[in-house]
Amino acid sequence: MKQAKRILAIVLSALLALGMFAIGASASTNDFAAEVLRLVNVERANHGLHALSGANANLNAAAQVRAVELETYFSPTHNRPDGRAWYTVFQQFPVNRTRAAENIARGQTSPQAVVTAWMGSAGHRVNILDAGTTHMGVGVHQSGGRLYWVQLFITDPSTPANPGPCASNPHVDHCICNDNGGNGGNGNNNGGSGNGGNTIFCTRFESNFWNWLLFIVGFGWIWMWFV
């Protein structure tokens, strides 16, 4: 019986450590994403532009998928690991849009560092300060001590906004901005029609999973010491 309890204690300790690490990492990257949005809106306010909304669940989910993909394949072309264009992520997470843009980066250690890098690169700066953009999704992925960053920008036709630089030309149905910005990553725009968004519950599910794991571990500790 004592041997069984000793083994159970080791297993529960490992699960507890894993759960606390996962929750800490998730909270950190979520906080980083929120801070990137805040800093971008500060930059936009400094240039007399409206704030971007970060409340589109599908856009944030798409940005997070792209951030995870950057660990596998980080390319100036913004292609995905399977060779498809970056904006095909909207096939998985549809959003209502008339155009879209992406900024990517890797290696910066804080939201301030990555926003400063993007603002110092012409292509990324254009995306951040586009007067026609209405929403931004932010993805942050941490692996091996390195951070991967993604901004996805869209123009939602149902949301009033000032016309952007591409809107003045009726013959332009997509905008391209590909700038090799060193540590800032690369900026890329590509527009197109989109479908209405559906709520994605991935983040909520992950949060509930780790909450249940910690509950089970805690119950196991109680049982081990008092039964």
Side-chain angles (χ1 to χ4, degrees), residues 31-79:
D31 290 345
F32 278 4
E35 180 64 3
V36 167
L37 176 65
R38 187 190 72 82
L39 291 171
V40 163
N41 282 331
V42 167
E43 293 290 349
R44 289 176 64 86
N46 291 339
H47 290 81
L49 299 170
H50 62 271
L52 299 180
S53 171
N56 189 307
N58 270 20
L59 191 60
N60 285 312
Q64 188 60 36
V65 166
R66 288 289 296 128
V68 173
E69 290 180 346
L70 293 184
E71 180 186 359
T72 302
Y73 187 66
F74 188 96
S75 168
T77 66
H78 288 248
N79 285 345

mmCIF file of all heavy atoms in Angstrom, residues 31-79:
data_model
loop_
_atom_site.group_PDB
_atom_site.id
_atom_site.type_symbol
_atom_site.label_atom_id
_atom_site.label_comp_id
_atom_site.label_asym_id
_atom_site.label_seq_id
_atom_site.Cartn_x
_atom_site.Cartn_y
_atom_site.Cartn_z
ATOM 1 N N ASP A 31 -1.502 37.257 -22.208
ATOM 2 C CA ASP A 31 -1.192 38.620 -21.770
ATOM 3 C C ASP A 31 -0.368 39.346 -22.828
ATOM 4 O O ASP A 31 -0.572 40.537 -23.083
ATOM 5 C CB ASP A 31 -0.428 38.596 -20.447
ATOM 6 C CG ASP A 31 -1.296 38.143 -19.281
ATOM 7 O OD1 ASP A 31 -2.528 38.129 -19.431
ATOM 8 O OD2 ASP A 31 -0.732 37.792 -18.225
ATOM 9 N N PHE A 32 0.572 38.640 -23.438
ATOM 10 C CA PHE A 32 1.389 39.242 -24.492
ATOM 11 C C PHE A 32 0.527 39.671 -25.671
ATOM 12 O O PHE A 32 0.721 40.749 -26.239
ATOM 13 C CB PHE A 32 2.451 38.246 -24.958
ATOM 14 C CG PHE A 32 3.672 38.184 -24.071
ATOM 15 C CD1 PHE A 32 3.748 38.920 -22.903
ATOM 16 C CD2 PHE A 32 4.755 37.383 -24.418
ATOM 17 C CE1 PHE A 32 4.875 38.875 -22.086
ATOM 18 C CE2 PHE A 32 5.893 37.333 -23.614
ATOM 19 C CZ PHE A 32 5.948 38.075 -22.448
ATOM 20 N N ALA A 33 -0.423 38.825 -26.056
ATOM 21 C CA ALA A 33 -1.299 39.159 -27.187
ATOM 22 C C ALA A 33 -2.119 40.408 -26.879
ATOM 23 O O ALA A 33 -2.254 41.300 -27.729
ATOM 24 C CB ALA A 33 -2.210 37.981 -27.505
ATOM 25 N N ALA A 34 -2.667 40.479 -25.674
ATOM 26 C CA ALA A 34 -3.452 41.651 -25.281
ATOM 27 C C ALA A 34 -2.592 42.912 -25.273
ATOM 28 O O ALA A 34 -3.040 44.000 -25.668
ATOM 29 C CB ALA A 34 -4.076 41.423 -23.912
ATOM 30 N N GLU A 35 -1.330 42.781 -24.851
ATOM 31 C CA GLU A 35 -0.445 43.937 -24.805
ATOM 32 C C GLU A 35 -0.056 44.392 -26.205
ATOM 33 O O GLU A 35 0.089 45.601 -26.459
ATOM 34 C CB GLU A 35 0.796 43.604 -23.979
ATOM 35 C CG GLU A 35 1.815 44.736 -23.847
ATOM 36 C CD GLU A 35 1.296 45.955 -23.090
ATOM 37 O OE1 GLU A 35 0.141 45.927 -22.602
ATOM 38 O OE2 GLU A 35 2.040 46.948 -22.995
ATOM 39 N N VAL A 36 0.118 43.460 -27.136
ATOM 40 C CA VAL A 36 0.401 43.845 -28.524
ATOM 41 C C VAL A 36 -0.756 44.675 -29.073
ATOM 42 O O VAL A 36 -0.547 45.700 -29.722
ATOM 43 C CB VAL A 36 0.640 42.605 -29.406
ATOM 44 C CG1 VAL A 36 0.627 42.977 -30.891
ATOM 45 C CG2 VAL A 36 1.978 41.953 -29.056
ATOM 46 N N LEU A 37 -1.981 44.240 -28.825
ATOM 47 C CA LEU A 37 -3.144 45.006 -29.279
ATOM 48 C C LEU A 37 -3.147 46.402 -28.672
ATOM 49 O O LEU A 37 -3.381 47.394 -29.372
ATOM 50 C CB LEU A 37 -4.431 44.263 -28.903
ATOM 51 C CG LEU A 37 -5.734 44.989 -29.220
ATOM 52 C CD1 LEU A 37 -5.919 45.179 -30.724
ATOM 53 C CD2 LEU A 37 -6.934 44.225 -28.637
ATOM 54 N N ARG A 38 -2.865 46.479 -27.385
ATOM 55 C CA ARG A 38 -2.861 47.786 -26.722
ATOM 56 C C ARG A 38 -1.794 48.707 -27.323
ATOM 57 O O ARG A 38 -2.062 49.882 -27.621
ATOM 58 C CB ARG A 38 -2.621 47.622 -25.219
ATOM 59 C CG ARG A 38 -2.772 48.912 -24.416
ATOM 60 C CD ARG A 38 -2.281 48.754 -22.991
ATOM 61 N NE ARG A 38 -0.829 48.671 -22.926
ATOM 62 C CZ ARG A 38 -0.018 49.744 -22.951
ATOM 63 N NH1 ARG A 38 -0.512 50.970 -23.069
ATOM 64 N NH2 ARG A 38 1.290 49.573 -22.860
ATOM 65 N N LEU A 39 -0.593 48.170 -27.522
ATOM 66 C CA LEU A 39 0.491 48.986 -28.055
ATOM 67 C C LEU A 39 0.210 49.435 -29.490
ATOM 68 O O LEU A 39 0.550 50.568 -29.872
ATOM 69 C CB LEU A 39 1.804 48.191 -28.005
ATOM 70 C CG LEU A 39 2.361 47.928 -26.600
ATOM 71 C CD1 LEU A 39 3.528 46.948 -26.659
ATOM 72 C CD2 LEU A 39 2.794 49.231 -25.942
ATOM 73 N N VAL A 40 -0.394 48.558 -30.283
ATOM 74 C CA VAL A 40 -0.757 48.937 -31.651
ATOM 75 C C VAL A 40 -1.769 50.076 -31.638
ATOM 76 O O VAL A 40 -1.661 51.041 -32.405
ATOM 77 C CB VAL A 40 -1.313 47.719 -32.422
ATOM 78 C CG1 VAL A 40 -2.068 48.159 -33.678
ATOM 79 C CG2 VAL A 40 -0.177 46.784 -32.800
ATOM 80 N N ASN A 41 -2.738 50.004 -30.748
ATOM 81 C CA ASN A 41 -3.739 51.072 -30.682
ATOM 82 C C ASN A 41 -3.153 52.370 -30.146
ATOM 83 O O ASN A 41 -3.627 53.459 -30.499
ATOM 84 C CB ASN A 41 -4.941 50.613 -29.854
ATOM 85 C CG ASN A 41 -5.853 49.697 -30.653
ATOM 86 O OD1 ASN A 41 -5.934 49.798 -31.880
ATOM 87 N ND2 ASN A 41 -6.530 48.792 -29.967
ATOM 88 N N VAL A 42 -2.126 52.285 -29.329
ATOM 89 C CA VAL A 42 -1.412 53.495 -28.903
ATOM 90 C C VAL A 42 -0.731 54.136 -30.113
ATOM 91 O O VAL A 42 -0.811 55.361 -30.320
ATOM 92 C CB VAL A 42 -0.376 53.163 -27.813
ATOM 93 C CG1 VAL A 42 0.575 54.350 -27.592
ATOM 94 C CG2 VAL A 42 -1.072 52.801 -26.504
ATOM 95 N N GLU A 43 -0.071 53.319 -30.923
ATOM 96 C CA GLU A 43 0.586 53.844 -32.124
ATOM 97 C C GLU A 43 -0.433 54.461 -33.080
ATOM 98 O O GLU A 43 -0.200 55.521 -33.663
ATOM 99 C CB GLU A 43 1.347 52.724 -32.839
ATOM 100 C CG GLU A 43 2.538 52.168 -32.086
ATOM 101 C CD GLU A 43 3.699 53.142 -32.013
ATOM 102 O OE1 GLU A 43 3.678 54.184 -32.726
ATOM 103 O OE2 GLU A 43 4.644 52.865 -31.249
ATOM 104 N N ARG A 44 -1.563 53.814 -33.234
ATOM 105 C CA ARG A 44 -2.591 54.336 -34.134
ATOM 106 C C ARG A 44 -3.169 55.650 -33.599
ATOM 107 O O ARG A 44 -3.406 56.597 -34.370
ATOM 108 C CB ARG A 44 -3.695 53.298 -34.326
ATOM 109 C CG ARG A 44 -3.244 52.097 -35.169
ATOM 110 C CD ARG A 44 -4.327 51.037 -35.266
ATOM 111 N NE ARG A 44 -5.515 51.525 -35.959
ATOM 112 C CZ ARG A 44 -5.672 51.500 -37.279
ATOM 113 N NH1 ARG A 44 -4.715 51.013 -38.060
ATOM 114 N NH2 ARG A 44 -6.780 51.957 -37.821
ATOM 115 N N ALA A 45 -3.378 55.708 -32.282
ATOM 116 C CA ALA A 45 -3.883 56.944 -31.691
ATOM 117 C C ALA A 45 -2.897 58.088 -31.890
ATOM 118 O O ALA A 45 -3.299 59.235 -32.153
ATOM 119 C CB ALA A 45 -4.161 56.732 -30.204
ATOM 120 N N ASN A 46 -1.604 57.788 -31.794
ATOM 121 C CA ASN A 46 -0.583 58.814 -32.010
ATOM 122 C C ASN A 46 -0.592 59.363 -33.432
ATOM 123 O O ASN A 46 -0.063 60.440 -33.692
ATOM 124 C CB ASN A 46 0.806 58.249 -31.693
ATOM 125 C CG ASN A 46 1.003 57.977 -30.216
ATOM 126 O OD1 ASN A 46 0.303 58.539 -29.369
ATOM 127 N ND2 ASN A 46 1.951 57.123 -29.873
ATOM 128 N N HIS A 47 -1.178 58.596 -34.362
ATOM 129 C CA HIS A 47 -1.261 59.024 -35.755
ATOM 130 C C HIS A 47 -2.687 59.396 -36.150
ATOM 131 O O HIS A 47 -3.016 59.475 -37.338
ATOM 132 C CB HIS A 47 -0.731 57.916 -36.677
ATOM 133 C CG HIS A 47 0.749 57.723 -36.579
ATOM 134 N ND1 HIS A 47 1.332 56.986 -35.558
ATOM 135 C CD2 HIS A 47 1.772 58.162 -37.361
ATOM 136 C CE1 HIS A 47 2.648 56.986 -35.735
ATOM 137 N NE2 HIS A 47 2.938 57.682 -36.805
ATOM 138 N N GLY A 48 -3.528 59.624 -35.161
ATOM 139 C CA GLY A 48 -4.877 60.088 -35.423
ATOM 140 C C GLY A 48 -5.809 59.042 -36.010
ATOM 141 O O GLY A 48 -6.796 59.389 -36.665
ATOM 142 N N LEU A 49 -5.531 57.764 -35.767
ATOM 143 C CA LEU A 49 -6.335 56.678 -36.330
ATOM 144 C C LEU A 49 -7.200 56.025 -35.261
ATOM 145 O O LEU A 49 -6.863 56.046 -34.071
ATOM 146 C CB LEU A 49 -5.423 55.617 -36.953
ATOM 147 C CG LEU A 49 -4.539 56.094 -38.104
ATOM 148 C CD1 LEU A 49 -3.520 55.021 -38.471
ATOM 149 C CD2 LEU A 49 -5.383 56.466 -39.323
ATOM 150 N N HIS A 50 -8.313 55.440 -35.689
ATOM 151 C CA HIS A 50 -9.203 54.759 -34.757
ATOM 152 C C HIS A 50 -8.534 53.495 -34.221
ATOM 153 O O HIS A 50 -7.650 52.926 -34.853
ATOM 154 C CB HIS A 50 -10.518 54.388 -35.455
ATOM 155 C CG HIS A 50 -10.338 53.445 -36.600
ATOM 156 N ND1 HIS A 50 -10.093 53.878 -37.885
ATOM 157 C CD2 HIS A 50 -10.344 52.088 -36.659
ATOM 158 C CE1 HIS A 50 -9.969 52.830 -38.686
ATOM 159 N NE2 HIS A 50 -10.107 51.733 -37.968
ATOM 160 N N ALA A 51 -9.003 53.048 -33.063
ATOM 161 C CA ALA A 51 -8.474 51.827 -32.459
ATOM 162 C C ALA A 51 -9.001 50.599 -33.194
ATOM 163 O O ALA A 51 -10.108 50.608 -33.739
ATOM 164 C CB ALA A 51 -8.870 51.752 -30.992
ATOM 165 N N LEU A 52 -8.188 49.563 -33.227
ATOM 166 C CA LEU A 52 -8.602 48.297 -33.817
ATOM 167 C C LEU A 52 -9.283 47.431 -32.759
ATOM 168 O O LEU A 52 -8.869 47.407 -31.603
ATOM 169 C CB LEU A 52 -7.396 47.543 -34.375
ATOM 170 C CG LEU A 52 -6.608 48.251 -35.480
ATOM 171 C CD1 LEU A 52 -5.442 47.372 -35.927
ATOM 172 C CD2 LEU A 52 -7.509 48.589 -36.665
ATOM 173 N N SER A 53 -10.298 46.705 -33.182
ATOM 174 C CA SER A 53 -10.962 45.762 -32.288
ATOM 175 C C SER A 53 -10.191 44.452 -32.260
ATOM 176 O O SER A 53 -9.729 43.964 -33.293
ATOM 177 C CB SER A 53 -12.396 45.505 -32.762
ATOM 178 O OG SER A 53 -12.977 44.434 -32.033
ATOM 179 N N GLY A 54 -10.065 43.888 -31.075
ATOM 180 C CA GLY A 54 -9.424 42.579 -30.938
ATOM 181 C C GLY A 54 -10.402 41.501 -30.528
ATOM 182 O O GLY A 54 -10.006 40.459 -30.027
ATOM 183 N N ALA A 55 -11.703 41.758 -30.770
ATOM 184 C CA ALA A 55 -12.747 40.893 -30.228
ATOM 185 C C ALA A 55 -13.239 39.826 -31.196
ATOM 186 O O ALA A 55 -14.206 39.135 -30.894
ATOM 187 C CB ALA A 55 -13.933 41.752 -29.778
ATOM 188 N N ASN A 56 -12.613 39.699 -32.361
ATOM 189 C CA ASN A 56 -13.051 38.679 -33.314
ATOM 190 C C ASN A 56 -12.402 37.335 -32.951
ATOM 191 O O ASN A 56 -11.194 37.148 -33.127
ATOM 192 C CB ASN A 56 -12.689 39.093 -34.736
ATOM 193 C CG ASN A 56 -13.296 38.193 -35.786
ATOM 194 O OD1 ASN A 56 -13.145 36.975 -35.738
ATOM 195 N ND2 ASN A 56 -13.977 38.793 -36.754
ATOM 196 N N ALA A 57 -13.205 36.403 -32.446
ATOM 197 C CA ALA A 57 -12.667 35.131 -31.952
ATOM 198 C C ALA A 57 -11.998 34.332 -33.061
ATOM 199 O O ALA A 57 -10.940 33.726 -32.848
ATOM 200 C CB ALA A 57 -13.786 34.306 -31.306
ATOM 201 N N ASN A 58 -12.603 34.294 -34.241
ATOM 202 C CA ASN A 58 -12.016 33.533 -35.338
ATOM 203 C C ASN A 58 -10.700 34.143 -35.800
ATOM 204 O O ASN A 58 -9.755 33.429 -36.157
ATOM 205 C CB ASN A 58 -12.995 33.468 -36.516
ATOM 206 C CG ASN A 58 -13.901 32.261 -36.434
ATOM 207 O OD1 ASN A 58 -14.073 31.678 -35.377
ATOM 208 N ND2 ASN A 58 -14.492 31.883 -37.553
ATOM 209 N N LEU A 59 -10.617 35.465 -35.802
ATOM 210 C CA LEU A 59 -9.389 36.131 -36.223
ATOM 211 C C LEU A 59 -8.255 35.826 -35.251
ATOM 212 O O LEU A 59 -7.121 35.565 -35.669
ATOM 213 C CB LEU A 59 -9.628 37.641 -36.323
ATOM 214 C CG LEU A 59 -8.525 38.467 -36.987
ATOM 215 C CD1 LEU A 59 -8.284 38.020 -38.421
ATOM 216 C CD2 LEU A 59 -8.881 39.958 -36.945
ATOM 217 N N ASN A 60 -8.548 35.848 -33.963
ATOM 218 C CA ASN A 60 -7.524 35.516 -32.967
ATOM 219 C C ASN A 60 -7.110 34.050 -33.063
ATOM 220 O O ASN A 60 -5.930 33.718 -32.921
ATOM 221 C CB ASN A 60 -8.039 35.836 -31.563
ATOM 222 C CG ASN A 60 -8.044 37.321 -31.266
ATOM 223 O OD1 ASN A 60 -7.065 38.019 -31.508
ATOM 224 N ND2 ASN A 60 -9.158 37.813 -30.749
ATOM 225 N N ALA A 61 -8.088 33.171 -33.318
ATOM 226 C CA ALA A 61 -7.765 31.749 -33.462
ATOM 227 C C ALA A 61 -6.886 31.518 -34.688
ATOM 228 O O ALA A 61 -5.941 30.727 -34.649
ATOM 229 C CB ALA A 61 -9.050 30.928 -33.567
ATOM 230 N N ALA A 62 -7.195 32.218 -35.773
ATOM 231 C CA ALA A 62 -6.385 32.092 -36.994
ATOM 232 C C ALA A 62 -4.966 32.587 -36.757
ATOM 233 O O ALA A 62 -3.986 31.974 -37.212
ATOM 234 C CB ALA A 62 -7.035 32.873 -38.139
ATOM 235 N N ALA A 63 -4.835 33.707 -36.038
ATOM 236 C CA ALA A 63 -3.508 34.252 -35.738
ATOM 237 C C ALA A 63 -2.701 33.284 -34.883
ATOM 238 O O ALA A 63 -1.484 33.128 -35.078
ATOM 239 C CB ALA A 63 -3.647 35.606 -35.042
ATOM 240 N N GLN A 64 -3.363 32.612 -33.951
ATOM 241 C CA GLN A 64 -2.651 31.672 -33.093
ATOM 242 C C GLN A 64 -2.172 30.464 -33.888
ATOM 243 O O GLN A 64 -1.062 29.961 -33.673
ATOM 244 C CB GLN A 64 -3.543 31.231 -31.925
ATOM 245 C CG GLN A 64 -2.830 30.416 -30.874
ATOM 246 C CD GLN A 64 -1.667 31.157 -30.234
ATOM 247 O OE1 GLN A 64 -1.726 32.379 -30.022
ATOM 248 N NE2 GLN A 64 -0.593 30.443 -29.924
ATOM 249 N N VAL A 65 -2.997 29.991 -34.818
ATOM 250 C CA VAL A 65 -2.578 28.885 -35.685
ATOM 251 C C VAL A 65 -1.349 29.286 -36.492
ATOM 252 O O VAL A 65 -0.382 28.521 -36.616
ATOM 253 C CB VAL A 65 -3.730 28.469 -36.627
ATOM 254 C CG1 VAL A 65 -3.220 27.574 -37.756
ATOM 255 C CG2 VAL A 65 -4.804 27.741 -35.842
ATOM 256 N N ARG A 66 -1.360 30.490 -37.023
ATOM 257 C CA ARG A 66 -0.218 30.955 -37.813
ATOM 258 C C ARG A 66 1.032 31.088 -36.941
ATOM 259 O O ARG A 66 2.152 30.782 -37.390
ATOM 260 C CB ARG A 66 -0.550 32.298 -38.473
ATOM 261 C CG ARG A 66 -1.531 32.186 -39.598
ATOM 262 C CD ARG A 66 -0.908 31.509 -40.825
ATOM 263 N NE ARG A 66 0.170 32.327 -41.361
ATOM 264 C CZ ARG A 66 1.390 31.867 -41.609
ATOM 265 N NH1 ARG A 66 1.719 30.601 -41.353
ATOM 266 N NH2 ARG A 66 2.300 32.678 -42.128
ATOM 267 N N ALA A 67 0.873 31.528 -35.688
ATOM 268 C CA ALA A 67 2.030 31.661 -34.800
ATOM 269 C C ALA A 67 2.657 30.300 -34.542
ATOM 270 O O ALA A 67 3.891 30.159 -34.540
ATOM 271 C CB ALA A 67 1.610 32.319 -33.485
ATOM 272 N N VAL A 68 1.843 29.287 -34.335
ATOM 273 C CA VAL A 68 2.356 27.933 -34.118
ATOM 274 C C VAL A 68 3.064 27.437 -35.385
ATOM 275 O O VAL A 68 4.123 26.789 -35.309
ATOM 276 C CB VAL A 68 1.212 26.978 -33.726
ATOM 277 C CG1 VAL A 68 1.703 25.533 -33.676
ATOM 278 C CG2 VAL A 68 0.636 27.383 -32.369
ATOM 279 N N GLU A 69 2.501 27.749 -36.542
ATOM 280 C CA GLU A 69 3.103 27.310 -37.807
ATOM 281 C C GLU A 69 4.477 27.927 -38.044
ATOM 282 O O GLU A 69 5.334 27.312 -38.694
ATOM 283 C CB GLU A 69 2.177 27.661 -38.972
ATOM 284 C CG GLU A 69 0.904 26.840 -39.013
ATOM 285 C CD GLU A 69 -0.008 27.208 -40.169
ATOM 286 O OE1 GLU A 69 0.205 28.273 -40.793
ATOM 287 O OE2 GLU A 69 -0.930 26.439 -40.465
ATOM 288 N N LEU A 70 4.698 29.125 -37.514
ATOM 289 C CA LEU A 70 5.980 29.797 -37.739
ATOM 290 C C LEU A 70 7.152 29.023 -37.143
ATOM 291 O O LEU A 70 8.286 29.148 -37.618
ATOM 292 C CB LEU A 70 5.951 31.214 -37.164
ATOM 293 C CG LEU A 70 5.012 32.218 -37.829
ATOM 294 C CD1 LEU A 70 5.177 33.594 -37.200
ATOM 295 C CD2 LEU A 70 5.267 32.297 -39.336
ATOM 296 N N GLU A 71 6.883 28.257 -36.105
ATOM 297 C CA GLU A 71 7.960 27.457 -35.526
ATOM 298 C C GLU A 71 8.468 26.434 -36.541
ATOM 299 O O GLU A 71 9.660 26.136 -36.606
ATOM 300 C CB GLU A 71 7.467 26.747 -34.263
ATOM 301 C CG GLU A 71 8.544 25.900 -33.605
ATOM 302 C CD GLU A 71 8.022 25.075 -32.447
ATOM 303 O OE1 GLU A 71 6.820 25.176 -32.127
ATOM 304 O OE2 GLU A 71 8.822 24.322 -31.860
ATOM 305 N N THR A 72 7.551 25.904 -37.352
ATOM 306 C CA THR A 72 7.905 24.899 -38.350
ATOM 307 C C THR A 72 8.460 25.534 -39.612
ATOM 308 O O THR A 72 9.421 25.029 -40.205
ATOM 309 C CB THR A 72 6.666 24.052 -38.713
ATOM 310 O OG1 THR A 72 6.163 23.443 -37.521
ATOM 311 C CG2 THR A 72 7.011 22.980 -39.733
ATOM 312 N N TYR A 73 7.845 26.655 -40.019
ATOM 313 C CA TYR A 73 8.239 27.253 -41.299
ATOM 314 C C TYR A 73 8.057 28.759 -41.225
ATOM 315 O O TYR A 73 6.936 29.260 -41.197
ATOM 316 C CB TYR A 73 7.391 26.676 -42.432
ATOM 317 C CG TYR A 73 7.842 27.104 -43.820
ATOM 318 C CD1 TYR A 73 9.069 26.697 -44.333
ATOM 319 C CD2 TYR A 73 7.030 27.915 -44.607
ATOM 320 C CE1 TYR A 73 9.475 27.082 -45.592
ATOM 321 C CE2 TYR A 73 7.433 28.308 -45.876
ATOM 322 C CZ TYR A 73 8.655 27.883 -46.370
ATOM 323 O OH TYR A 73 9.067 28.280 -47.619
ATOM 324 N N PHE A 74 9.164 29.478 -41.184
ATOM 325 C CA PHE A 74 9.160 30.943 -41.134
ATOM 326 C C PHE A 74 9.737 31.440 -42.446
ATOM 327 O O PHE A 74 10.932 31.265 -42.712
ATOM 328 C CB PHE A 74 9.993 31.435 -39.951
ATOM 329 C CG PHE A 74 9.881 32.918 -39.709
ATOM 330 C CD1 PHE A 74 8.979 33.409 -38.773
ATOM 331 C CD2 PHE A 74 10.671 33.823 -40.402
ATOM 332 C CE1 PHE A 74 8.874 34.772 -38.532
ATOM 333 C CE2 PHE A 74 10.571 35.173 -40.175
ATOM 334 C CZ PHE A 74 9.673 35.658 -39.237
ATOM 335 N N SER A 75 8.905 32.055 -43.275
ATOM 336 C CA SER A 75 9.332 32.400 -44.630
ATOM 337 C C SER A 75 8.925 33.824 -44.995
ATOM 338 O O SER A 75 7.829 34.284 -44.632
ATOM 339 C CB SER A 75 8.696 31.422 -45.635
ATOM 340 O OG SER A 75 8.854 31.887 -46.957
ATOM 341 N N PRO A 76 9.785 34.532 -45.748
ATOM 342 C CA PRO A 76 9.422 35.871 -46.239
ATOM 343 C C PRO A 76 8.194 35.857 -47.141
ATOM 344 O O PRO A 76 7.545 36.884 -47.322
ATOM 345 C CB PRO A 76 10.674 36.311 -47.016
ATOM 346 C CG PRO A 76 11.782 35.475 -46.488
ATOM 347 C CD PRO A 76 11.163 34.166 -46.113
ATOM 348 N N THR A 77 7.868 34.713 -47.716
ATOM 349 C CA THR A 77 6.691 34.613 -48.579
ATOM 350 C C THR A 77 5.400 34.497 -47.775
ATOM 351 O O THR A 77 4.311 34.587 -48.344
ATOM 352 C CB THR A 77 6.794 33.381 -49.501
ATOM 353 O OG1 THR A 77 6.749 32.193 -48.698
ATOM 354 C CG2 THR A 77 8.075 33.416 -50.308
ATOM 355 N N HIS A 78 5.532 34.272 -46.482
ATOM 356 C CA HIS A 78 4.387 34.073 -45.599
ATOM 357 C C HIS A 78 3.619 32.785 -45.901
ATOM 358 O O HIS A 78 2.493 32.617 -45.446
ATOM 359 C CB HIS A 78 3.415 35.264 -45.652
ATOM 360 C CG HIS A 78 3.949 36.487 -44.989
ATOM 361 N ND1 HIS A 78 3.417 37.006 -43.829
ATOM 362 C CD2 HIS A 78 4.970 37.313 -45.320
ATOM 363 C CE1 HIS A 78 4.082 38.091 -43.481
ATOM 364 N NE2 HIS A 78 5.031 38.294 -44.377
ATOM 365 N N ASN A 79 4.224 31.892 -46.662
ATOM 366 C CA ASN A 79 3.547 30.620 -46.930
ATOM 367 C C ASN A 79 3.459 29.781 -45.663
ATOM 368 O O ASN A 79 4.275 29.905 -44.739
ATOM 369 C CB ASN A 79 4.279 29.827 -48.012
ATOM 370 C CG ASN A 79 4.045 30.404 -49.392
ATOM 371 O OD1 ASN A 79 3.138 31.208 -49.598
ATOM 372 N ND2 ASN A 79 4.864 29.996 -50.352
#
